[in-house]
Amino acid sequence: TGTEVEVVGNVNIIATPDYGYEFVNWKKGDEVVSTAASYVYNGAEEANFVAEFRRLTIDEQYSLLSQPTFTRSDGDITEISQIEFNGSNITGFQTALGTTKHLNDVIKVRAGGTYNLTIGYELHWGDIALYQIDNNGTQKKYGPYLCAWEPDANPLNILKRDNPTMYEDFGLNSLDDFEVVSSGGNTYMWLPYEISIDEDHKPGDLVTLRIVAATPKAATASEDYDQGRCFDILLEVVPAYPLSVSAAGWASLYLDFPAEIPDFGNEDEEAGVYIVTGVKEGNWLNLVKVTDGALPANTGVIVKAAQGTYEFRYSAEEAADVSANILKGTVEDEYIEGKAYVLGNKNGIGFYQAELNKNATGNDGTTHFKNNAYKSYLLATDIPATLSRSAGFRFSFGGTTVIEE
């Protein structure tokens, strides 16, 4: 974190990794001084230490998640027939950690997001439960703990043996709210769940949805039963950014993750996300609309839209080609050396020279400017020296043609 301390004796420095990372070592320059997270420095001279961390793989993170307990009674095998997440069918479970199976792929979700999970199964005196397990060990259980079916007597008779509030736990009013279908001589029930991802999750956090389907060890009810088969759906929390557009109808943006371009509506055909590819005579910026693919990470852009807030969500799509872009940006408030231009509305919407600032390290302010977090800027060194830079640089949708698709 760049913390400085005055040495008056032994100093103990401790490295604490964020979730999804593990500590590797402490370094003093190029020298590894400790592989333990806690290191005591007893030198008298000034020294700088850097903690190095390693990002855990998804399987390594998965193995760290706590395992929920699940006690079952006697019963037949519960068969999971289909699982849908937000309307998409989930297939391709791989065997891992004994009887547990999990997806080869990790589903991307957002902190604060709400998602639909539907489980279809054929139930014959079986048990089923759904757990949400967070990386901090917190467990949340959705739906009934125990639920059994009487296929021979009445296929629509749900026995609420250990859970008289089963309907309420599901958020349903009665059996009529469950979807029951018959296929191939078997009767299946489809149970809907609404999954919520807490707001306090950070990008990279892993959440597991564990479907526990009880399976007996033997055919007779007198034998013991194991925990059952577990089907784990791994959810990785990914970033999203809410961009506010003022009444002026423009905003600058810089993100450090690939993002899906939001829907700006159809009232304004010119609304969208633009890169800047150069400056034309008359100090007009040349804008190119990003239309093919996701917005790549680490890309400065300007956005034209009606006043409002637009969410830029993480995207795994193939990124658009923005190699000609000359806009830059930062994801934190940052002092940057050099003369630059930022979005403003002095003589019309455009990029105007940023005020030079005195930064936190005591710079005299003559060569640095402050760029705000998640905003883009234009460096003077990327503008032809033949152009006048004092008046700023504008763009227009009338008269002068500066827009390229």
Side-chain angles (χ1 to χ4, degrees), residues 64-85:
L64 296 176
L65 291 169
S66 60
Q67 308 298 310
T69 58
F70 182 76
T71 305
R72 62 158 284 114
S73 64
D74 59 333
D76 201 350
I77 297 177
T78 300
E79 294 290 348
I80 300 293
S81 61
Q82 188 170 330
I83 304 170
E84 290 185 356
F85 187 86

Side-chain angles (χ1 to χ4, degrees), residues 11-18 21-27 32-41 49-53:
V11 177
N12 186 23
I13 53 177
I14 301 174
T16 304
D18 284 341
Y21 291 82
E22 72 172 2
F23 172 77
V24 177
N25 56 47
W26 280 105
K27 277 188 173 181
V32 176
V33 296
S34 176
T35 56
S38 178
Y39 173 66
V40 177
Y41 175 63
F49 298 94
V50 176
E52 292 190 338
F53 300 89

Side-chain angles (χ1 to χ4, degrees), residues 103-125:
L103 285 177
N104 289 292
D105 297 326
V106 179
I107 296 175
K108 309 292 185 180
V109 294
R110 294 177 297 108
T114 301
Y115 302 90
N116 297 315
L117 178 75
T118 304
I119 304 174
Y121 61 92
E122 180 187 8
L123 192 59
H124 298 282
W125 290 101

